[in-house]
Amino acid sequence: MKKSIFTLALALVALVASAQIKKPELMVIPSDVWCISNGYYTEIENLGTTVKVPNYKQALQENMGLKLAIAKLNDLMAERQFPLQSLEQTIKNLEQRRMEDNLTMSKAGNELAESPLDEVARTAKCDIILELSWEVKDFGPKHSLSYILEARDAYTAKSIGAASGTGAPSLSADVDVLLEEAIVANMDNFNNRLLDHFTEMQTIGREISLDIKVFANNAAGIDLESEYGDDELLDIINNWLQVNTVQGRFSMPYASENIANFTQVRIPVYDERGRAIDANGFAKGLAKYLKKEPYNIPSKVLVKGLGRAVIILGEK
């Protein structure tokens, strides 16, 4: 009897602990391939090359199949207790923020150098992006859906894992029904990869990159070799990163008197208030540190998505 009670108590403890595990926030988006194949893209000129950029807003407004597919995948992930961000609502928030940013950015005549996906991810501040592609094939009166679902770290765009498959022919022609029939068999293994990635990230930190640059002929008259006591400015920045990264993890593949590139910078997933930290917030922490005595260095922080930030030293 005592053994049974003890076993039951252990099971309850394990159940409570499992419920308390924080899961990554997800967002489902159509893949670039799906958007371009279906005509939902904008062409832009980039250094003489025409680039096709996905137009998520147009796709959501014009393709009911996309809305059904995203809704179904959201339902499947919600059943597994993953917190979700809405692509459609995020785009609305982004448009509002763009109107506000345009008023600010127009003073300098500059725009943020971000892709549509960077902007969406930064606005939603999700952890993982799920890119969905699918194609429906007809077999007489029956239909079958083939899909590819790839998970990417929203901060680095690195692939975490993928699932793909083809559902058995069905009399239903609804995308959401066909998608569920095709994808459900692979969901558990796919979800485990997401959890493994997020668990590892909470142990060794979230990966970002950080660039430090110097304004030419800046009013502060400094560069990365400027000395403060016995240390050059680059050493001071390195020391700050050593203290504020997780386990002191970062690399510096290149540095000169005017530029320093830091990669594989591991930052905490959450701050002391439980809020997600991104590259912009982390960079602002360093900028504030350098602005104080004894350095008094003004700087400008530029946003380059969730996972990359640039600090330009010497002027605001």
Side-chain angles (χ1 to χ4, degrees), residues 5 26 65 86 90 94 100 123 135 154 156 179 183 188 219 226 231 251 258 261 265 269 295:
I5 294 174
L26 312 178
S86 164
T90 297
L94 178 57
E100 297 169 357
T123 303
E135 182 181 26
T156 65
L179 180 63
I183 202 172
D188 289 337
S226 297
D231 294 320
S251 300
N258 295 315
N261 303 126
V265 181
V269 176
Y295 312 115

Side-chain angles (χ1 to χ4, degrees), residues 205-217:
R206 194 193 295 278
E207 182 180 342
I208 66 164
S209 62
L210 177 66
D211 295 334
I212 309 294
K213 300 183 179 182
V214 177
F215 279 113
N217 303 315

Side-chain angles (χ1 to χ4, degrees), residues 251-277:
S251 300
M252 187 175 66
Y254 178 80
S256 68
E257 63 180 339
N258 295 315
I259 297 175
N261 303 126
F262 296 95
T263 61
Q264 298 177 319
V265 181
R266 293 288 182 168
I267 67 173
V269 176
Y270 303 108
D271 64 14
E272 64 279 358
R273 297 182 182 179
R275 299 172 300 186
I277 302 174

